[in-house]
Short mmCIF file of all heavy atoms in Angstrom, two decimals:
data_model
loop_
_atom_site.label_atom_id
_atom_site.label_comp_id
_atom_site.label_asym_id
_atom_site.label_seq_id
_atom_site.Cartn_x
_atom_site.Cartn_y
_atom_site.Cartn_z
N MET A 1 92.35 92.71 80.42
CA MET A 1 92.16 91.37 79.89
C MET A 1 93.33 90.50 80.33
O MET A 1 94.47 90.92 80.29
CB MET A 1 92.06 91.43 78.38
CG MET A 1 91.99 90.08 77.75
SD MET A 1 91.08 90.17 76.24
CE MET A 1 89.95 88.87 76.50
N LEU A 2 93.01 89.31 80.74
CA LEU A 2 94.04 88.37 81.17
C LEU A 2 94.68 87.76 79.94
O LEU A 2 94.00 87.22 79.08
CB LEU A 2 93.42 87.28 82.04
CG LEU A 2 92.68 87.75 83.28
CD1 LEU A 2 92.03 86.59 83.98
CD2 LEU A 2 93.61 88.50 84.21
N SER A 3 96.01 87.83 79.86
CA SER A 3 96.66 87.35 78.65
C SER A 3 97.78 86.35 78.91
O SER A 3 98.25 85.71 77.98
CB SER A 3 97.21 88.54 77.85
OG SER A 3 98.12 89.27 78.65
N THR A 4 98.22 86.20 80.16
CA THR A 4 99.29 85.26 80.44
C THR A 4 98.81 84.19 81.42
O THR A 4 97.82 84.39 82.14
CB THR A 4 100.52 85.96 81.05
OG1 THR A 4 100.18 86.44 82.36
CG2 THR A 4 101.00 87.11 80.18
N LEU A 5 99.51 83.09 81.43
CA LEU A 5 99.17 82.01 82.36
C LEU A 5 99.29 82.48 83.80
O LEU A 5 98.47 82.12 84.65
CB LEU A 5 100.08 80.80 82.11
CG LEU A 5 99.79 79.56 82.94
CD1 LEU A 5 98.37 79.08 82.73
CD2 LEU A 5 100.77 78.45 82.59
N LYS A 6 100.27 83.32 84.08
CA LYS A 6 100.46 83.84 85.44
C LYS A 6 99.23 84.66 85.87
O LYS A 6 98.75 84.52 86.99
CB LYS A 6 101.71 84.70 85.51
CG LYS A 6 102.02 85.21 86.89
CD LYS A 6 103.33 85.98 86.93
CE LYS A 6 103.62 86.47 88.32
NZ LYS A 6 104.90 87.17 88.40
N GLU A 7 98.72 85.50 84.99
CA GLU A 7 97.54 86.30 85.31
C GLU A 7 96.31 85.41 85.53
O GLU A 7 95.54 85.63 86.45
CB GLU A 7 97.26 87.30 84.18
CG GLU A 7 98.28 88.39 84.07
CD GLU A 7 98.10 89.25 82.84
OE1 GLU A 7 97.38 88.85 81.90
OE2 GLU A 7 98.70 90.34 82.81
N ILE A 8 96.17 84.39 84.70
CA ILE A 8 95.05 83.47 84.85
C ILE A 8 95.15 82.71 86.17
O ILE A 8 94.15 82.54 86.87
CB ILE A 8 94.97 82.51 83.65
CG1 ILE A 8 94.61 83.31 82.38
CG2 ILE A 8 93.97 81.39 83.89
CD1 ILE A 8 94.78 82.57 81.09
N ASN A 9 96.35 82.30 86.54
CA ASN A 9 96.54 81.60 87.82
C ASN A 9 96.21 82.52 88.99
O ASN A 9 95.68 82.06 90.01
CB ASN A 9 97.96 81.07 87.94
CG ASN A 9 98.19 79.83 87.12
OD1 ASN A 9 97.26 79.09 86.83
ND2 ASN A 9 99.43 79.59 86.74
N LEU A 10 96.53 83.80 88.89
CA LEU A 10 96.24 84.73 89.97
C LEU A 10 94.75 84.84 90.24
O LEU A 10 94.32 84.92 91.37
CB LEU A 10 96.80 86.12 89.67
CG LEU A 10 98.29 86.31 89.91
CD1 LEU A 10 98.75 87.66 89.38
CD2 LEU A 10 98.62 86.19 91.38
N VAL A 11 93.95 84.84 89.20
CA VAL A 11 92.50 85.00 89.40
C VAL A 11 91.77 83.68 89.56
O VAL A 11 90.56 83.67 89.78
CB VAL A 11 91.84 85.84 88.28
CG1 VAL A 11 92.38 87.23 88.25
CG2 VAL A 11 91.96 85.15 86.95
N SER A 12 92.48 82.57 89.48
CA SER A 12 91.81 81.27 89.66
C SER A 12 91.46 80.99 91.12
O SER A 12 90.64 80.13 91.41
CB SER A 12 92.67 80.14 89.09
OG SER A 12 93.86 80.00 89.84
N ASN A 13 92.05 81.74 92.04
CA ASN A 13 91.72 81.64 93.46
C ASN A 13 90.32 82.21 93.66
O ASN A 13 90.03 83.31 93.20
CB ASN A 13 92.77 82.42 94.25
CG ASN A 13 92.47 82.51 95.71
OD1 ASN A 13 91.50 83.15 96.11
ND2 ASN A 13 93.31 81.91 96.52
N PRO A 14 89.42 81.49 94.35
CA PRO A 14 88.04 81.98 94.52
C PRO A 14 87.92 83.37 95.15
O PRO A 14 87.12 84.19 94.70
CB PRO A 14 87.39 80.92 95.41
CG PRO A 14 88.20 79.69 95.20
CD PRO A 14 89.60 80.17 94.94
N ALA A 15 88.72 83.64 96.16
CA ALA A 15 88.66 84.96 96.80
C ALA A 15 89.12 86.05 95.84
O ALA A 15 88.51 87.12 95.76
CB ALA A 15 89.52 84.98 98.06
N ARG A 16 90.17 85.77 95.09
CA ARG A 16 90.67 86.76 94.13
C ARG A 16 89.68 86.98 93.00
O ARG A 16 89.51 88.10 92.52
CB ARG A 16 92.02 86.31 93.57
CG ARG A 16 93.11 86.34 94.59
CD ARG A 16 94.42 85.94 93.98
NE ARG A 16 95.39 85.68 95.04
CZ ARG A 16 96.36 84.82 94.95
NH1 ARG A 16 96.56 84.14 93.83
NH2 ARG A 16 97.19 84.62 95.95
N LEU A 17 89.01 85.92 92.58
CA LEU A 17 88.02 86.06 91.52
C LEU A 17 86.88 86.96 91.97
O LEU A 17 86.42 87.82 91.21
CB LEU A 17 87.48 84.68 91.11
CG LEU A 17 86.50 84.66 89.95
CD1 LEU A 17 87.10 85.29 88.71
CD2 LEU A 17 86.07 83.23 89.67
N LYS A 18 86.44 86.83 93.21
CA LYS A 18 85.39 87.71 93.74
C LYS A 18 85.85 89.16 93.74
O LYS A 18 85.08 90.06 93.41
CB LYS A 18 85.01 87.28 95.15
CG LYS A 18 84.24 85.99 95.21
CD LYS A 18 83.94 85.60 96.64
CE LYS A 18 83.28 84.24 96.71
NZ LYS A 18 83.05 83.81 98.09
N ILE A 19 87.11 89.39 94.10
CA ILE A 19 87.65 90.75 94.11
C ILE A 19 87.64 91.33 92.70
O ILE A 19 87.20 92.46 92.48
CB ILE A 19 89.07 90.78 94.71
CG1 ILE A 19 89.00 90.46 96.20
CG2 ILE A 19 89.73 92.13 94.48
CD1 ILE A 19 90.35 90.22 96.86
N ILE A 20 88.11 90.55 91.74
CA ILE A 20 88.15 91.02 90.35
C ILE A 20 86.74 91.34 89.84
O ILE A 20 86.53 92.34 89.18
CB ILE A 20 88.82 89.95 89.44
CG1 ILE A 20 90.30 89.90 89.73
CG2 ILE A 20 88.57 90.23 87.97
CD1 ILE A 20 91.06 91.15 89.39
N ILE A 21 85.79 90.50 90.16
CA ILE A 21 84.41 90.74 89.72
C ILE A 21 83.89 92.05 90.32
O ILE A 21 83.29 92.86 89.63
CB ILE A 21 83.50 89.55 90.09
CG1 ILE A 21 83.86 88.35 89.23
CG2 ILE A 21 82.03 89.91 89.95
CD1 ILE A 21 83.24 87.04 89.66
N MET A 22 84.15 92.26 91.60
CA MET A 22 83.69 93.49 92.26
C MET A 22 84.37 94.72 91.68
O MET A 22 83.74 95.76 91.50
CB MET A 22 83.92 93.41 93.76
CG MET A 22 83.00 92.40 94.43
SD MET A 22 83.11 92.48 96.20
CE MET A 22 82.39 94.08 96.49
N LEU A 23 85.65 94.62 91.38
CA LEU A 23 86.37 95.77 90.83
C LEU A 23 85.98 96.04 89.39
O LEU A 23 86.14 97.16 88.90
CB LEU A 23 87.89 95.55 90.93
CG LEU A 23 88.46 95.58 92.34
CD1 LEU A 23 89.94 95.24 92.31
CD2 LEU A 23 88.24 96.93 93.00
N GLY A 24 85.45 95.03 88.71
CA GLY A 24 85.03 95.22 87.33
C GLY A 24 83.79 96.08 87.20
O GLY A 24 83.54 96.68 86.16
N ILE A 25 83.03 96.17 88.27
CA ILE A 25 81.79 96.95 88.25
C ILE A 25 82.10 98.44 88.42
O ILE A 25 81.65 99.27 87.64
CB ILE A 25 80.82 96.46 89.34
CG1 ILE A 25 80.44 95.00 89.06
CG2 ILE A 25 79.59 97.34 89.43
CD1 ILE A 25 79.74 94.31 90.20
N THR A 26 82.85 98.78 89.45
CA THR A 26 83.20 100.16 89.74
C THR A 26 84.42 100.18 90.65
O THR A 26 84.71 99.18 91.31
CB THR A 26 82.03 100.92 90.38
OG1 THR A 26 82.38 102.29 90.55
CG2 THR A 26 81.65 100.34 91.72
N ALA A 27 85.12 101.28 90.69
CA ALA A 27 86.30 101.40 91.55
C ALA A 27 85.90 101.21 93.01
O ALA A 27 84.85 101.70 93.44
CB ALA A 27 86.97 102.75 91.36
N LYS A 28 86.71 100.49 93.74
CA LYS A 28 86.42 100.19 95.14
C LYS A 28 87.68 100.38 95.98
O LYS A 28 88.79 100.30 95.49
CB LYS A 28 85.97 98.74 95.30
CG LYS A 28 84.76 98.35 94.50
CD LYS A 28 83.64 97.96 95.42
CE LYS A 28 82.44 97.43 94.69
NZ LYS A 28 81.69 98.35 93.92
N THR A 29 87.45 100.58 97.28
CA THR A 29 88.56 100.64 98.23
C THR A 29 88.73 99.27 98.87
O THR A 29 87.85 98.40 98.76
CB THR A 29 88.29 101.65 99.36
OG1 THR A 29 87.19 101.19 100.14
CG2 THR A 29 87.99 103.04 98.81
N ALA A 30 89.84 99.09 99.56
CA ALA A 30 90.05 97.85 100.29
C ALA A 30 88.95 97.67 101.33
O ALA A 30 88.47 96.55 101.55
CB ALA A 30 91.42 97.86 100.96
N GLN A 31 88.52 98.75 101.94
CA GLN A 31 87.45 98.67 102.94
C GLN A 31 86.14 98.23 102.31
O GLN A 31 85.40 97.44 102.89
CB GLN A 31 87.27 100.01 103.66
CG GLN A 31 86.28 99.96 104.80
CD GLN A 31 86.71 99.04 105.92
OE1 GLN A 31 87.84 99.12 106.38
NE2 GLN A 31 85.83 98.15 106.35
N ASP A 32 85.83 98.71 101.10
CA ASP A 32 84.63 98.27 100.40
C ASP A 32 84.65 96.76 100.18
O ASP A 32 83.66 96.07 100.39
CB ASP A 32 84.50 98.96 99.03
CG ASP A 32 84.27 100.45 99.12
OD1 ASP A 32 83.74 100.91 100.14
OD2 ASP A 32 84.63 101.15 98.15
N LEU A 33 85.81 96.26 99.75
CA LEU A 33 85.95 94.83 99.51
C LEU A 33 85.86 94.04 100.80
O LEU A 33 85.23 92.99 100.85
CB LEU A 33 87.29 94.56 98.80
CG LEU A 33 87.42 95.17 97.41
CD1 LEU A 33 88.86 95.07 96.93
CD2 LEU A 33 86.48 94.52 96.44
N LEU A 34 86.48 94.56 101.84
CA LEU A 34 86.44 93.92 103.15
C LEU A 34 85.00 93.79 103.64
O LEU A 34 84.58 92.72 104.09
CB LEU A 34 87.28 94.72 104.15
CG LEU A 34 87.27 94.29 105.59
CD1 LEU A 34 88.03 92.99 105.76
CD2 LEU A 34 87.88 95.36 106.46
N ASP A 35 84.25 94.86 103.54
CA ASP A 35 82.85 94.85 103.98
C ASP A 35 82.00 93.86 103.17
O ASP A 35 81.16 93.16 103.71
CB ASP A 35 82.23 96.25 103.88
CG ASP A 35 82.85 97.23 104.86
OD1 ASP A 35 83.49 96.79 105.84
OD2 ASP A 35 82.69 98.45 104.63
N ALA A 36 82.23 93.82 101.87
CA ALA A 36 81.41 92.98 100.99
C ALA A 36 81.77 91.49 101.09
O ALA A 36 80.89 90.65 101.03
CB ALA A 36 81.56 93.45 99.55
N LEU A 37 83.06 91.21 101.26
CA LEU A 37 83.50 89.81 101.22
C LEU A 37 83.65 89.18 102.59
O LEU A 37 83.69 87.96 102.71
CB LEU A 37 84.81 89.70 100.44
CG LEU A 37 84.75 90.17 98.99
CD1 LEU A 37 86.12 90.13 98.36
CD2 LEU A 37 83.77 89.30 98.21
N GLY A 38 83.81 90.00 103.62
CA GLY A 38 83.93 89.47 104.97
C GLY A 38 85.21 88.70 105.25
O GLY A 38 85.20 87.80 106.07
N VAL A 39 86.27 89.04 104.56
CA VAL A 39 87.57 88.42 104.85
C VAL A 39 88.46 89.44 105.55
O VAL A 39 88.13 90.62 105.61
CB VAL A 39 88.26 87.88 103.57
CG1 VAL A 39 87.42 86.80 102.93
CG2 VAL A 39 88.52 88.98 102.58
N SER A 40 89.59 89.01 106.05
CA SER A 40 90.45 89.91 106.81
C SER A 40 91.06 90.99 105.91
O SER A 40 91.27 90.79 104.71
CB SER A 40 91.57 89.15 107.50
OG SER A 40 92.57 88.78 106.58
N GLY A 41 91.34 92.12 106.52
CA GLY A 41 91.95 93.23 105.81
C GLY A 41 93.32 92.87 105.25
O GLY A 41 93.70 93.32 104.18
N LEU A 42 94.06 92.04 105.98
CA LEU A 42 95.38 91.62 105.51
C LEU A 42 95.26 90.84 104.21
O LEU A 42 96.06 91.02 103.29
CB LEU A 42 96.08 90.78 106.57
CG LEU A 42 96.53 91.52 107.82
CD1 LEU A 42 97.11 90.54 108.84
CD2 LEU A 42 97.55 92.59 107.48
N LYS A 43 94.26 89.97 104.11
CA LYS A 43 94.07 89.19 102.89
C LYS A 43 93.69 90.09 101.72
O LYS A 43 94.19 89.91 100.61
CB LYS A 43 92.99 88.12 103.09
CG LYS A 43 93.45 86.96 103.91
CD LYS A 43 92.38 85.88 103.97
CE LYS A 43 92.87 84.73 104.83
NZ LYS A 43 91.88 83.66 104.90
N ILE A 44 92.81 91.03 101.97
CA ILE A 44 92.40 91.96 100.90
C ILE A 44 93.61 92.74 100.39
O ILE A 44 93.84 92.82 99.18
CB ILE A 44 91.31 92.93 101.40
CG1 ILE A 44 90.01 92.19 101.72
CG2 ILE A 44 91.07 94.06 100.39
CD1 ILE A 44 89.29 91.63 100.52
N HIS A 45 94.40 93.29 101.30
CA HIS A 45 95.57 94.07 100.89
C HIS A 45 96.59 93.19 100.16
O HIS A 45 97.20 93.63 99.18
CB HIS A 45 96.21 94.76 102.10
CG HIS A 45 95.42 95.92 102.59
ND1 HIS A 45 95.37 97.12 101.91
CD2 HIS A 45 94.64 96.07 103.67
CE1 HIS A 45 94.59 97.96 102.55
NE2 HIS A 45 94.12 97.34 103.63
N TYR A 46 96.75 91.96 100.61
CA TYR A 46 97.66 91.03 99.94
C TYR A 46 97.23 90.78 98.50
O TYR A 46 98.03 90.88 97.57
CB TYR A 46 97.72 89.71 100.72
CG TYR A 46 98.47 88.61 100.01
CD1 TYR A 46 99.85 88.62 99.97
CD2 TYR A 46 97.79 87.57 99.38
CE1 TYR A 46 100.55 87.61 99.31
CE2 TYR A 46 98.47 86.57 98.72
CZ TYR A 46 99.85 86.59 98.69
OH TYR A 46 100.54 85.60 98.04
N HIS A 47 95.95 90.47 98.31
CA HIS A 47 95.44 90.20 96.97
C HIS A 47 95.52 91.44 96.09
O HIS A 47 95.90 91.35 94.92
CB HIS A 47 94.00 89.68 97.03
CG HIS A 47 93.86 88.35 97.69
ND1 HIS A 47 94.64 87.26 97.39
CD2 HIS A 47 93.01 87.92 98.66
CE1 HIS A 47 94.28 86.22 98.12
NE2 HIS A 47 93.29 86.61 98.91
N LEU A 48 95.18 92.61 96.63
CA LEU A 48 95.26 93.85 95.84
C LEU A 48 96.69 94.12 95.40
O LEU A 48 96.93 94.53 94.27
CB LEU A 48 94.71 95.03 96.65
CG LEU A 48 93.20 95.06 96.86
CD1 LEU A 48 92.82 96.22 97.78
CD2 LEU A 48 92.46 95.14 95.55
N ARG A 49 97.64 93.90 96.31
CA ARG A 49 99.05 94.13 95.98
C ARG A 49 99.50 93.18 94.86
O ARG A 49 100.16 93.60 93.90
CB ARG A 49 99.94 93.94 97.21
CG ARG A 49 101.40 94.27 96.95
CD ARG A 49 102.25 94.18 98.21
NE ARG A 49 102.06 92.96 98.97
CZ ARG A 49 102.67 91.80 98.71
NH1 ARG A 49 103.49 91.69 97.68
NH2 ARG A 49 102.45 90.75 99.47
N LEU A 50 99.10 91.91 94.95
CA LEU A 50 99.45 90.95 93.88
C LEU A 50 98.87 91.38 92.53
O LEU A 50 99.56 91.35 91.51
CB LEU A 50 98.91 89.56 94.23
CG LEU A 50 99.71 88.70 95.17
CD1 LEU A 50 98.98 87.39 95.42
CD2 LEU A 50 101.09 88.42 94.62
N PHE A 51 97.62 91.77 92.54
CA PHE A 51 96.98 92.22 91.30
C PHE A 51 97.66 93.46 90.74
O PHE A 51 97.90 93.55 89.54
CB PHE A 51 95.50 92.52 91.52
CG PHE A 51 94.63 91.31 91.71
CD1 PHE A 51 93.52 91.36 92.51
CD2 PHE A 51 94.91 90.12 91.05
CE1 PHE A 51 92.70 90.26 92.68
CE2 PHE A 51 94.09 89.01 91.21
CZ PHE A 51 92.98 89.08 92.03
N GLU A 52 97.96 94.41 91.60
CA GLU A 52 98.57 95.66 91.14
C GLU A 52 99.98 95.40 90.59
O GLU A 52 100.35 95.92 89.54
CB GLU A 52 98.61 96.68 92.27
CG GLU A 52 98.98 98.07 91.80
CD GLU A 52 98.84 99.11 92.89
OE1 GLU A 52 98.84 98.76 94.09
OE2 GLU A 52 98.74 100.29 92.52
N GLU A 53 100.76 94.58 91.28
CA GLU A 53 102.11 94.26 90.83
C GLU A 53 102.13 93.55 89.48
O GLU A 53 103.08 93.67 88.73
CB GLU A 53 102.82 93.38 91.86
CG GLU A 53 103.23 94.10 93.12
CD GLU A 53 103.79 93.17 94.18
OE1 GLU A 53 103.78 91.92 94.00
OE2 GLU A 53 104.23 93.68 95.22
N ASN A 54 101.06 92.82 89.19
CA ASN A 54 100.99 92.08 87.94
C ASN A 54 100.16 92.77 86.86
O ASN A 54 99.86 92.18 85.83
CB ASN A 54 100.44 90.67 88.20
CG ASN A 54 101.47 89.82 88.92
OD1 ASN A 54 102.38 89.31 88.28
ND2 ASN A 54 101.36 89.69 90.23
N GLY A 55 99.77 94.01 87.11
CA GLY A 55 99.08 94.81 86.11
C GLY A 55 97.63 94.40 85.85
O GLY A 55 97.07 94.77 84.83
N ILE A 56 97.03 93.67 86.78
CA ILE A 56 95.65 93.24 86.60
C ILE A 56 94.67 94.33 87.03
O ILE A 56 93.61 94.51 86.44
CB ILE A 56 95.39 91.92 87.35
CG1 ILE A 56 96.26 90.82 86.72
CG2 ILE A 56 93.93 91.53 87.31
CD1 ILE A 56 96.25 89.51 87.46
N ILE A 57 95.02 95.05 88.08
CA ILE A 57 94.23 96.20 88.52
C ILE A 57 95.15 97.40 88.58
O ILE A 57 96.37 97.27 88.52
CB ILE A 57 93.56 95.97 89.91
CG1 ILE A 57 94.61 95.84 91.01
CG2 ILE A 57 92.61 94.80 89.86
CD1 ILE A 57 94.04 95.89 92.42
N GLU A 58 94.54 98.58 88.72
CA GLU A 58 95.34 99.78 88.85
C GLU A 58 94.74 100.71 89.89
O GLU A 58 93.53 100.70 90.13
CB GLU A 58 95.48 100.50 87.52
CG GLU A 58 94.19 101.02 86.95
CD GLU A 58 94.36 101.65 85.59
OE1 GLU A 58 95.47 101.66 85.05
OE2 GLU A 58 93.35 102.14 85.06
N PHE A 59 95.60 101.48 90.51
CA PHE A 59 95.20 102.51 91.45
C PHE A 59 94.54 103.61 90.63
O PHE A 59 95.06 104.04 89.61
CB PHE A 59 96.44 103.01 92.20
CG PHE A 59 96.22 104.28 92.93
CD1 PHE A 59 95.51 104.30 94.11
CD2 PHE A 59 96.73 105.47 92.44
CE1 PHE A 59 95.32 105.49 94.79
CE2 PHE A 59 96.54 106.64 93.11
CZ PHE A 59 95.84 106.66 94.29
N VAL A 60 93.36 104.07 91.06
CA VAL A 60 92.61 105.05 90.28
C VAL A 60 92.70 106.45 90.90
O VAL A 60 93.09 107.39 90.24
CB VAL A 60 91.13 104.63 90.13
CG1 VAL A 60 90.36 105.62 89.30
CG2 VAL A 60 91.02 103.24 89.55
N TYR A 61 92.34 106.57 92.18
CA TYR A 61 92.39 107.86 92.85
C TYR A 61 92.30 107.66 94.35
O TYR A 61 92.05 106.56 94.83
CB TYR A 61 91.27 108.80 92.36
CG TYR A 61 89.87 108.32 92.66
CD1 TYR A 61 89.20 108.73 93.81
CD2 TYR A 61 89.20 107.48 91.78
CE1 TYR A 61 87.91 108.30 94.07
CE2 TYR A 61 87.92 107.05 92.04
CZ TYR A 61 87.28 107.46 93.18
OH TYR A 61 86.00 107.03 93.44
N THR A 62 92.53 108.74 95.10
CA THR A 62 92.38 108.70 96.55
C THR A 62 91.29 109.67 96.97
O THR A 62 90.95 110.60 96.24
CB THR A 62 93.68 109.09 97.29
OG1 THR A 62 94.04 110.42 96.94
CG2 THR A 62 94.81 108.14 96.97
N GLU A 63 90.75 109.40 98.15
CA GLU A 63 89.73 110.26 98.71
C GLU A 63 89.93 110.29 100.22
O GLU A 63 90.19 109.25 100.83
CB GLU A 63 88.35 109.69 98.36
CG GLU A 63 87.19 110.55 98.79
CD GLU A 63 85.87 109.97 98.31
OE1 GLU A 63 85.50 108.87 98.78
OE2 GLU A 63 85.23 110.61 97.47
N LEU A 64 89.83 111.46 100.82
CA LEU A 64 89.96 111.59 102.26
C LEU A 64 88.59 111.40 102.90
O LEU A 64 87.66 112.17 102.65
CB LEU A 64 90.53 112.98 102.62
CG LEU A 64 90.92 113.18 104.06
CD1 LEU A 64 92.03 112.22 104.46
CD2 LEU A 64 91.38 114.61 104.29
N ILE A 65 88.46 110.33 103.70
CA ILE A 65 87.19 110.01 104.35
C ILE A 65 87.43 109.93 105.85
O ILE A 65 88.18 109.07 106.31
CB ILE A 65 86.61 108.67 103.84
CG1 ILE A 65 86.38 108.75 102.32
CG2 ILE A 65 85.32 108.32 104.57
CD1 ILE A 65 85.97 107.44 101.70
N ASN A 66 86.81 110.82 106.59
CA ASN A 66 86.97 110.87 108.05
C ASN A 66 88.43 110.89 108.48
O ASN A 66 88.83 110.19 109.40
CB ASN A 66 86.24 109.69 108.73
CG ASN A 66 84.75 109.73 108.50
OD1 ASN A 66 84.15 110.81 108.46
ND2 ASN A 66 84.14 108.58 108.36
N GLY A 67 89.24 111.64 107.76
CA GLY A 67 90.65 111.78 108.11
C GLY A 67 91.53 110.63 107.64
O GLY A 67 92.72 110.60 107.92
N ILE A 68 90.96 109.67 106.92
CA ILE A 68 91.72 108.52 106.42
C ILE A 68 91.75 108.57 104.91
O ILE A 68 90.71 108.73 104.25
CB ILE A 68 91.08 107.19 106.89
CG1 ILE A 68 91.07 107.12 108.41
CG2 ILE A 68 91.80 106.00 106.29
CD1 ILE A 68 90.27 105.97 108.96
N THR A 69 92.92 108.43 104.34
CA THR A 69 93.05 108.43 102.88
C THR A 69 92.69 107.05 102.36
O THR A 69 93.30 106.05 102.73
CB THR A 69 94.49 108.80 102.46
OG1 THR A 69 94.81 110.09 102.99
CG2 THR A 69 94.63 108.80 100.95
N GLN A 70 91.67 106.99 101.54
CA GLN A 70 91.21 105.74 100.94
C GLN A 70 91.71 105.67 99.50
O GLN A 70 91.53 106.61 98.73
CB GLN A 70 89.68 105.67 100.95
CG GLN A 70 89.07 105.64 102.30
CD GLN A 70 89.23 104.29 102.99
OE1 GLN A 70 89.26 103.24 102.34
NE2 GLN A 70 89.38 104.31 104.29
N LYS A 71 92.31 104.56 99.12
CA LYS A 71 92.77 104.34 97.75
C LYS A 71 91.70 103.54 97.00
O LYS A 71 91.21 102.54 97.50
CB LYS A 71 94.07 103.55 97.73
CG LYS A 71 95.26 104.28 98.26
CD LYS A 71 96.49 103.40 98.12
CE LYS A 71 97.72 104.09 98.65
NZ LYS A 71 98.91 103.24 98.50
N TYR A 72 91.36 104.01 95.83
CA TYR A 72 90.39 103.31 94.98
C TYR A 72 91.12 102.57 93.87
O TYR A 72 92.04 103.10 93.26
CB TYR A 72 89.40 104.30 94.37
CG TYR A 72 88.36 104.77 95.35
CD1 TYR A 72 88.64 105.78 96.27
CD2 TYR A 72 87.09 104.20 95.37
CE1 TYR A 72 87.70 106.20 97.18
CE2 TYR A 72 86.13 104.62 96.28
CZ TYR A 72 86.45 105.61 97.18
OH TYR A 72 85.51 106.04 98.09
N TYR A 73 90.69 101.34 93.65
CA TYR A 73 91.30 100.48 92.63
C TYR A 73 90.23 100.07 91.62
O TYR A 73 89.06 99.97 91.95
CB TYR A 73 91.88 99.21 93.26
CG TYR A 73 93.02 99.46 94.18
CD1 TYR A 73 92.80 99.67 95.53
CD2 TYR A 73 94.32 99.52 93.71
CE1 TYR A 73 93.84 99.89 96.41
CE2 TYR A 73 95.38 99.75 94.58
CZ TYR A 73 95.13 99.94 95.92
OH TYR A 73 96.18 100.18 96.77
N ASN A 74 90.68 99.81 90.41
CA ASN A 74 89.78 99.35 89.36
C ASN A 74 90.56 98.46 88.43
O ASN A 74 91.70 98.55 88.25
CB ASN A 74 89.19 100.52 88.61
CG ASN A 74 87.98 100.16 87.82
OD1 ASN A 74 87.56 99.02 87.77
ND2 ASN A 74 87.39 101.14 87.21
#
């Protein structure tokens, strides 16, 4: 739940709001978000890092897919 003005400002960005909505449904990887939203991987990672640093999302688990470790966030 968003409880501070800083947290509310973080999700007021349209791209970030879409990420939060998608993560609210089920845990997703950066690649899942990239595929669904069609934005650059750098932007997705930037937004995920901001959310994680501010306690809005959390790292849930990792999975090895085709030799690549995928991090799931929720």
